[in-house]
Amino acid sequence: MIEPVISFRHFSFQYRAQKRPTLHEINLDIMPGERVLIAGPSGSGKSTLGSCINGLIPFSFPGEIQGSLTVDGVDAPTAGIFALSAHVGTVLQDPDGQFIGLTVGEDIAFALENECVAQDEMKETVGRVASLVGIGSHLELAPHELSGGQKQRVSLAGVMVDQVKVLLFDEPLANLDPATGKQAIELIDEIQRRTDTTVVIIEHRLEDVLWRSVDRIVLMNEGRIVADMRPDELLSTDLLRRHGIREPLYLSALRYAGADIRPQMRPAQADTLVIGEDEKQMIGAWMRAAGPGREAEERPVLLEVSHIGFGYTPERKILNDVSFAIREGEMVSIVGQNGAGKSTLSKLICGFETPDEGSMRFAGEDMADWSIRERAAHIGYVMQNPNQMISKTMIFDEVTLGIRGRGYSEAEIRERVEETLKICGLYPFRNWPISALSFGQKKRVTIASVLVMGPKMIILDEPTAGQDYRHYTEIMEFLRGLNEQGVTVVMITHDMHLMLEYTPRALVFSGGAMIADKSAAEVLCDPELVCRAALKETSLFHLASRCGIEPPEALVQRFIDTDREVRAHGG
Amino acid sequence: MAAKTVLNYLPRKSVVHALTGTTKLAFFLLFTFAGMLTYDTRVLLGLLVVSLLAFRVSRIKVSEVRFMLVFMLIFLLLNNFFVFVFNPNQGTEIYGTRHVLLPLPGRFAVTAEELFYLFNITLKYFVALPVAMLFISATDPSEFAASLNSIGVSYRVGYSVAIALRYIPDIQRDYHNISQAQQARGVELGRKEPLMKRLRNAVNILLPLILSSLARIDVISNAMELRGFGKKKKRTWYTKKPFGRNDYLALLLGVLLLAASIAITFADGNRFYNPFM
């Protein structure tokens, strides 16, 4: 009989600082060579489960363990992090943060150095593993010369030098652009096939992981395993929706059309999905039932960018001849791969950098002579990581910071801050310390702290990065609410769902140029554009072509509208 | 990118860069020792020439280390000023003569001896500075750790220093981003602001910077432990270079300079070269 490589038995864990256990009664066997996806919303305990497997628990995060956990024949709770590292290789979610060496080669060698391997042998192993993950020709490069995907390859190579039995991926897609995320999943798939290791992926972005097949999905919620099934079976249930995990969009669309998802339809992957005549007809009927599209009225132009060019050095242009206009009350996303110039564009708009050529106008006025501070009164900028923006300990003080010294009286300041806190749903918390807030609430505080200056437009950098479906929805619905109150919202994002569901219009950047300015649905149904900008086609596009819907954007649009309605009615 | 460099590794192809970390560390120590022992102007001038030559062959430009240079010069000026204020007659006590150049009231008369003494102190700084900057700018942080380890410092300590050096650019970038976002909220750090206000505003940037740096440290230390850092008493080094001919030459030069410095300085039983008698 084959022994499981990972075996949890009546396993519970409670962090030392917590009042209640984070994991309850876990019973789980993972067989050698299996690929298992552990899914669940934030706080479900899925990352804690991963930390138990690699030994971070209890050695770096102490706490109380009950029950047993065996990993590759080792008793994990007592073995120690070093003993386990010979059996389990962990790829953490942040490819930047875990880059230890100064070059690719050195980073891959790190585990070998700690094992006192001789230098010749080390170089040979590094060379071999590096070519296995396709990074063999880059051994001399420094981290900042690598793309996000390449860094992840380095991380993978770095744990594979140990000949581990288990590869553990902790949210491998969190920091990657869509196309790179797709490649990462392909790479994991290929490595698993070639080395026959056991692969455990912890991720809440289900549809993206299912780009390549997994054997099982373990669904977690509130510290317990709520489902442990084959993907086809799980996707035929309503468990995902009930536990705050987004199911693949093509399945949602089929359900909206009234179809029933059964395991026999092989719903786990868009290209293996069996769509019968019945389903095609249902989709057709659903499409015909669409109400008339709403024509948006032409609002006046708020921000006009014309022929902007910029580079830190004259030889290397980061942005080249970029022109677009954003109208009052719009909600727009800016997409494209890392290094395409998106962040630089926002820096130019906010005045952190000065463009080399071109001009910008705000509500008809030339912005050239506006200082950073003057711009901030019209255009608010919200950084990706709220912890990098928050500099006070109390919510009220943090929000007040931006309007101090702008000539308001104390009473006016108070009134404005309170009003902003109300808009942001933070008024009840106004006297709370910021440290007591969740990530999503902190995000609101940072948004409130720029809104207080009364900007007509806000620019947000990756507003939902790293958030699960529930928190994502919470943040985005809040932004939509602001937008409905008249604030123009511009978002820089890698999240294709966000772009599709919340922003009618997308600006697509690639290599410092703007290569498209059209509806989000159109962008994601244009394979050539998707490829150039390192985006990812929506699975709805495939569904549309397989059901013969022309143009495919129509189905995408219908989906977005239905989804909106369902959400508005609390469905 | 936009973030200015304070002090970090500047990779380049040069004779100095090609030396092993251990050689550079040993040479740095020998050389600094040679400079510290002596107040003999002739020896200091000789060492200065070697120091400047080493800087020259490293192909590191002065503009790249300007921040550190300016910082050191300010420090040096302050130092000289205080040496003078605390004892304006130190020069006379050392050299045994008194040539008053500028008769200021009280004991603050400026003498040629005092100026010569201060000149020697300044010279010592200029001897040590280029070599010290070179040691940091031309040594790969990992090799730096390896070199500390090779002279008996625990590799954990060595590696912590290396990681700290390696994160300087990242933290500078964080600082830059955070300060931009704060400026947009009216936190001015410009030269127009009064000093106290600038300091208070700097705190607004420091808090998020410290928090995000702590988060960074957390991630990296977990990543290091997961890959077995600290498992054994010893470790090997991927980047460690074999000792070459130049390494032996550099070490020999270091030893000779130290020996020469000691020999010349103490030949007459006095650490000072005295042009006044």
Side-chain angles (χ1 to χ4, degrees):
Chain A
M1 210 192 91
I2 306 169
E3 290 281 314
V5 63
I6 297 173
S7 176
F8 286 91
R9 282 279 165 272
H10 305 292
F11 186 91
S12 305
F13 175 73
Q14 182 171 350
Y15 285 103
R16 193 176 279 166
Q18 303 260 310
K19 282 213 180 78
R20 272 179 294 162
T22 302
L23 296 176
H24 302 269
E25 266 300 295
I26 302 289
N27 284 295
L28 175 67
D29 281 337
I30 296 174
M31 294 303 183
E34 245 192 324
R35 316 143 161 248
V36 177
L37 166 62
I38 299 180
S42 304
S44 64
K46 60 182 194 303
S47 294
T48 303
L49 194 77
S51 301
C52 291
I53 296 174
N54 63 28
L56 281 178
I57 287 174
F59 300 97
S60 291
F61 309 127
E64 195 183 324
I65 290 174
Q66 264 155 18
S68 71
L69 165 61
T70 321
V71 177
D72 198 14
V74 175
D75 180 43
T78 57
I81 194 165
F82 298 143
L84 279 170
S85 72
H87 302 270
V88 184
T90 311
V91 178
L92 298 169
Q93 62 166 281
D94 174 5
D96 275 311
Q98 62 186 306
F99 210 109
I100 305 164
L102 270 178
T103 60
V104 170
E106 196 191 348
D107 190 71
I108 297 176
F110 188 72
L112 300 173
E113 293 179 321
N114 296 327
E115 276 295 335
C116 288
V117 173
Q119 205 180 39
D120 300 341
E121 193 189 330
M122 195 143 68
K123 299 233 154 150
E124 194 248 290
T125 312
V126 167
R128 184 171 47 77
V129 177
S131 8
L132 186 66
V133 300
I135 195 114
S137 50
H138 296 349
L139 288 182
E140 301 302 320
L141 295 189
H144 66 264
E145 295 170 287
L146 302 174
S147 69
Q150 286 172 324
K151 279 180 203 158
Q152 206 172 43
R153 280 165 199 264
V154 176
S155 312
L156 181 55
V159 299
M160 287 182 58
V161 291
D162 262 340
Q163 310 252 315
V164 288
K165 289 277 176 53
V166 180
L167 286 174
L168 178 69
F169 295 88
D170 189 3
E171 309 217 7
L173 302 175
N175 291 292
L176 302 179
D177 64 52
T180 310
K182 204 164 124 177
Q183 286 158 15
I185 292 297
E186 288 165 7
L187 176 72
I188 294 172
D189 176 71
E190 196 195 318
I191 295 293
Q192 196 280 332
R193 277 174 211 281
R194 280 168 65 176
T195 58
D196 205 34
T197 38
T198 308
V199 166
V200 179
I201 303 173
I202 297 168
E203 183 59 75
H204 60 86
R205 288 156 69 169
L206 193 81
E207 181 172 351
D208 295 326
V209 176
L210 291 177
W211 169 245
R212 286 286 183 269
S213 68
V214 299
D215 298 312
R216 265 200 293 159
I217 300 176
V218 174
L219 179 64
M220 295 197 59
N221 196 31
E222 295 183 348
R224 295 174 198 274
I225 293 179
V226 289
D228 178 0
M229 302 183 196
R230 288 192 304 115
D232 286 339
E233 285 168 9
L234 182 65
L235 291 173
S236 306
T237 68
D238 64 347
L239 285 166
L240 290 174
R241 276 165 297 155
R242 269 189 13 221
H243 294 110
I245 299 288
R246 188 200 291 266
E247 68 179 355
L249 296 189
Y250 54 91
L251 295 182
S252 297
L254 280 168
R255 282 190 220 270
Y256 289 149
D260 187 27
I261 312 291
R262 299 175 310 277
Q264 297 86 329
M265 292 165 72
R266 303 179 59 199
Q269 281 171 296
D271 40 354
T272 60
L273 176 72
V274 181
I275 306 174
E277 279 310 310
D278 288 355
E279 280 85 21
K280 281 187 189 167
Q281 273 174 17
M282 282 177 181
I283 292 273
W286 178 58
M287 289 297 297
R288 283 188 297 277
R294 280 159 294 152
E295 279 298 310
E297 50 178 323
E298 285 275 285
R299 304 280 294 274
V301 170
L302 190 59
L303 175 71
E304 190 182 5
V305 170
S306 16
H307 308 290
I308 286 287
F310 176 75
Y312 288 105
T313 53
E315 312 88 60
R316 250 192 81 233
K317 283 261 171 191
I318 293 178
L319 281 176
N320 220 335
D321 196 18
V322 172
S323 303
F324 60 86
I326 289 175
R327 293 176 181 278
E328 252 172 46
E330 271 198 293
M331 203 148 165
V332 180
S333 56
I334 298 182
V335 295
Q337 68 194 110
N338 290 337
K342 296 169 299 178
S343 304
T344 308
L345 177 68
S346 62
K347 287 187 172 181
L348 292 176
I349 295 174
C350 297
F352 301 154
E353 307 289 350
T354 313
D356 301 332
E357 53 213 39
S359 66
M360 289 183 276
R361 303 177 81 80
F362 190 85
E365 271 185 70
D366 191 354
M367 290 163 66
D369 296 331
W370 292 8
S371 70
I372 294 180
R373 208 169 167 207
E374 283 162 342
R375 287 174 198 233
H378 302 281
I379 306 169
Y381 173 66
V382 181
M383 297 172 85
Q384 174 175 343
N385 182 354
N387 295 330
Q388 291 204 338
M389 278 187 85
I390 292 171
S391 58
K392 299 280 181 206
T393 48
M394 306 302 282
I395 295 177
F396 194 90
D397 299 342
E398 178 68 26
V399 177
T400 313
L401 186 63
I403 50 168
R404 287 227 178 265
R406 283 183 194 255
Y408 297 105
S409 75
E410 217 33 52
E412 276 172 322
I413 289 179
R414 186 155 204 100
E415 191 187 336
R416 274 185 83 152
V417 171
E418 285 183 354
E419 191 194 346
T420 312
L421 287 171
K422 279 177 192 156
I423 293 173
C424 298
L426 291 166
Y427 189 71
F429 309 118
R430 63 194 178 282
N431 295 321
W432 281 33
I434 291 174
S435 53
L437 301 182
S438 72
F439 182 93
Q441 288 169 325
K442 280 187 189 167
K443 190 96 209 172
R444 280 192 199 201
V445 172
T446 59
I447 294 169
S449 69
V450 305
L451 278 181
V452 76
M453 292 179 268
K456 281 195 170 151
M457 173 191 263
I458 52 175
I459 301 177
L460 300 105
D461 197 353
E462 290 287 0
T464 59
Q467 299 303 297
D468 70 358
Y469 188 41
R470 195 172 58 106
H471 292 102
Y472 158 91
T473 309
E474 189 188 303
I475 296 171
M476 290 313 298
E477 288 299 320
F478 167 64
L479 287 173
R480 182 196 291 280
L482 283 183
N483 181 246
E484 276 162 6
Q485 294 180 45
V487 180
T488 307
V489 178
V490 177
M491 287 171 286
I492 297 171
T493 187
H494 280 324
D495 189 330
M496 300 293 99
H497 289 142
L498 185 161
M499 160 183 171
L500 210 51
E501 291 173 331
Y502 288 94
T503 60
R505 178 177 162 212
L507 308 178
V508 185
F509 280 76
S510 173
M514 196 176 82
I515 57 171
D517 174 0
K518 45 182 163 179
S519 87
E522 280 172 313
V523 169
L524 292 186
C525 288
D526 180 341
E528 198 221 315
L529 192 58
V530 161
C531 176
R532 273 177 72 195
L535 306 174
K536 186 168 171 271
E537 276 163 27
T538 165
S539 57
L540 294 170
F541 172 69
H542 296 280
L543 184 68
S545 36
R546 292 185 57 196
C547 293
I549 308 285
E550 270 304 324
E553 306 76 281
L555 184 131
V556 177
Q557 197 55 53
R558 176 80 174 107
F559 173 82
I560 297 168
D561 295 342
T562 314
D563 202 52
R564 180 105 300 275
E565 246 168 67
V566 171
R567 226 176 269 192
H569 295 100
Chain B
M1 273 233 318
K4 273 194 223 84
T5 317
V6 173
L7 190 59
N8 58 350
Y9 175 51
L10 304 164
R12 205 129 314 167
K13 283 203 175 2
S14 84
V15 188
V16 178
H17 285 75
L19 294 173
T20 72
T22 314
T23 311
K24 271 177 274 196
L25 178 62
F27 185 82
F28 168 68
L29 292 177
L30 288 169
F31 193 84
T32 319
F33 208 54
M36 257 161 36
L37 273 180
T38 187
Y39 278 90
D40 191 310
T41 318
R42 297 159 303 175
V43 178
L44 286 173
L45 284 172
L47 291 175
L48 181 66
V49 171
V50 177
S51 188
L52 291 177
L53 273 179
F55 194 82
R56 185 75 188 276
V57 288
S58 75
R59 296 196 185 167
I60 285 173
K61 296 192 202 87
V62 176
S63 59
E64 290 172 307
V65 291
R66 197 177 54 204
F67 181 88
M68 200 57 204
L69 205 62
V70 171
F71 182 80
M72 290 298 289
L73 282 178
I74 291 170
F75 191 77
L76 176 65
L77 274 177
L78 276 176
N79 188 44
N80 278 347
F81 175 73
F82 282 113
V83 167
F84 178 76
V85 169
F86 284 119
N87 191 354
N89 296 312
Q90 183 90 30
T92 308
E93 285 163 28
I94 292 167
Y95 298 108
T97 55
R98 187 177 168 88
H99 298 89
V100 177
L101 298 178
L102 188 61
L104 289 180
R107 57 198 193 99
F108 290 107
V110 179
T111 63
E113 286 77 6
E114 182 69 12
L115 285 186
F116 188 66
Y117 172 64
L118 292 178
F119 170 72
N120 279 310
I121 292 180
T122 310
L123 214 48
K124 279 160 83 89
Y125 271 89
F126 276 97
V127 166
L129 190 62
V131 174
M133 283 195 303
L134 257 195
F135 178 57
I136 293 173
S137 306
T139 312
D140 178 323
S142 313
E143 246 201 285
F144 174 80
S147 69
L148 285 178
N149 188 215
S150 68
I151 60 159
V153 178
S154 150
Y155 74 82
R156 282 165 225 250
V157 175
Y159 219 94
S160 315
V161 177
I163 288 270
L165 287 178
R166 146 145 158 55
Y167 273 99
I168 288 175
D170 285 354
I171 291 172
Q172 282 176 326
R173 195 163 42 239
D174 278 353
Y175 173 82
H176 203 68
N177 288 336
I178 293 170
S179 80
Q180 283 178 341
Q182 293 288 351
Q183 277 175 51
R185 294 168 63 196
V187 175
E188 291 286 351
L189 291 163
R191 288 169 204 282
K192 277 183 268 175
E193 299 297 309
L195 184 69
M196 270 321 284
K197 196 158 172 226
R198 261 164 80 186
L199 283 178
R200 228 178 307 131
N201 287 343
V203 174
N204 285 329
I205 295 172
L206 239 41
L207 183 73
L209 186 68
I210 290 170
L211 289 179
S212 63
S213 303
L214 286 178
R216 246 178 222 290
I217 292 169
D218 223 31
V219 172
I220 195 88
S221 61
N222 278 339
M224 287 169 72
E225 284 198 347
L226 282 172
R227 285 161 71 186
F229 185 79
K231 189 177 188 174
K232 300 198 169 173
K233 284 233 170 67
K234 287 162 98 181
R235 85 197 287 278
T236 46
W237 304 85
Y238 181 81
T239 47
K240 194 164 189 173
K241 293 180 202 141
F243 249 65
R245 189 184 51 122
N246 283 346
D247 290 295
Y248 290 109
L249 288 178
L251 284 182
L252 188 68
L253 179 66
V255 173
L256 286 179
L257 284 175
L258 180 61
S261 163
I262 292 173
I264 299 171
T265 308
F266 294 103
D268 54 359
N270 190 342
R271 284 167 78 197
F272 297 90
Y273 168 69
N274 195 339
F276 299 103
M277 279 164 79

